[in-house]
Amino acid sequence: FDSGAQAARDSEEGHSSRPEEGAAAAEGPAAPGAHADGEPEGPVSQLPIVMAISGASGAPYAVRLLEVLATRRVPVWLIVTSHGQRLLSAECGISTLEELRDATGGDWTSVTAYPDTDRGAKPASGSAKWAGMVICPCSMGTVSAIAQGSSRSLVERAADVALKERRKLIVVPRETPLSLVHLRNLTALTEAGGVVIPAAPGFYHRPTKVSELVDFIVQRVLDQIGLDIDIAPRWGGEASE
């Protein structure tokens, strides 16, 4: 068609003949979590991440991880086991999901919670699309159940789905010392495709607060999830003095 005539008509009607300008006008205001130029405030996974909190010691890791994901509006399907809820209460003074929401920024726009007893929920299905799963912290009982394929609860079933669908499964155990049974179960989980991140922070960044130790582990989890989020110093290769 005649591009000159089209441009003239657009000018008369107050429209732009530039595709990018027309597209921007059609899209309207920027979506929540995005700047006016369309760039997101933080990295956002297109598919949900299943996050489970089980009964192993290490509740601060779970709270911090959920805070980072929720404040950046990364879609999260959250499962807290009964022992996980007891753990949150004992170690962080968090007794309900409402208190957990408040402790992780207060905005759960991107977070959906599922009861561990609902084995028919979305995370239990391989046909439901989600990016991967993190169990933080992960008890040795949960590791054992996953390694044996028990699938007795939603957490166990979702982990089973992650392995069979070849999705990323990350477990963060905090147990010491480790028995031969623990080591064999962790080995079986790794051989099946899982990733084990022990809650054993490094000290090369010279932490001065407990929160910095927590961030060290949460950073490694974020890296394994594949999110470009930096909350802790990285090793730069410099020799220490």
Side-chain angles (χ1 to χ4, degrees):
F1 62 91
D2 187 341
S3 59
Q6 180 63 44
R9 287 195 296 269
D10 287 341
S11 177
E12 293 174 356
E13 296 171 1
H15 296 162
S16 170
S17 59
R18 297 177 58 188
E20 60 270 26
E21 292 182 2
E27 290 173 358
H35 295 301
D37 59 4
E39 292 295 325
E41 292 180 350
V44 176
S45 171
Q46 295 298 317
L47 294 176
I49 296 167
V50 179
M51 177 179 171
I53 303 174
S54 71
S57 179
Y61 295 112
V63 174
R64 178 59 169 151
L65 175 59
L66 184 58
E67 177 188 16
V68 171
L69 296 176
T71 55
R72 287 161 176 78
R73 299 190 180 180
V74 176
V76 174
W77 290 351
L78 177 67
I79 312 168
V80 182
T81 70
S82 58
H83 293 295
Q85 187 61 68
R86 179 177 178 179
L87 172 77
L88 289 168
S89 178
E91 296 188 350
C92 297
I94 298 173
S95 301
T96 65
L97 286 180
E98 289 73 20
E99 291 178 2
L100 180 59
R101 179 194 61 207
D102 293 340
T104 54
D107 182 1
W108 273 15
T109 303
S110 63
V111 179
T112 302
Y114 295 96
D116 189 36
T117 54
D118 186 2
R119 293 182 69 255
K122 285 185 178 181
S125 174
S127 64
K129 291 185 177 182
W130 42 275
M133 181 176 186
V134 181
I135 307 177
C136 177
C138 186
S139 69
M140 284 302 162
T142 303
V143 168
S144 175
I146 297 171
Q148 305 304 318
S150 299
S151 294
R152 301 166 301 180
S153 66
L154 182 56
V155 169
E156 295 172 10
R157 171 58 185 169
D160 196 26
V161 168
L163 293 177
K164 79 182 184 70
E165 297 292 334
R166 302 299 190 267
R167 298 171 186 170
K168 181 65 70 78
L169 172 63
I170 304 165
V171 300
V172 184
R174 197 236 50 87
E175 185 70 73
T176 188
L178 295 171
S179 72
L180 181 59
V181 172
H182 296 153
L183 293 169
R184 284 175 173 167
N185 285 333
L186 289 169
T187 299
L189 192 152
T190 302
E191 290 174 340
V195 176
V196 179
I197 301 181
F203 291 85
Y204 55 75
H205 59 305
R206 297 183 180 180
T208 59
K209 299 180 292 184
V210 172
S211 61
E212 294 173 345
L213 296 173
V214 170
D215 280 357
F216 183 95
I217 295 300
V218 173
Q219 181 69 72
R220 302 309 301 271
V221 174
L222 295 170
D223 291 346
Q224 284 294 319
I225 293 174
L227 295 176
D228 187 17
I229 301 174
D230 290 324
I231 63 171
R234 297 182 182 276
W235 175 249
E238 299 86 355
S240 60
E241 297 179 358

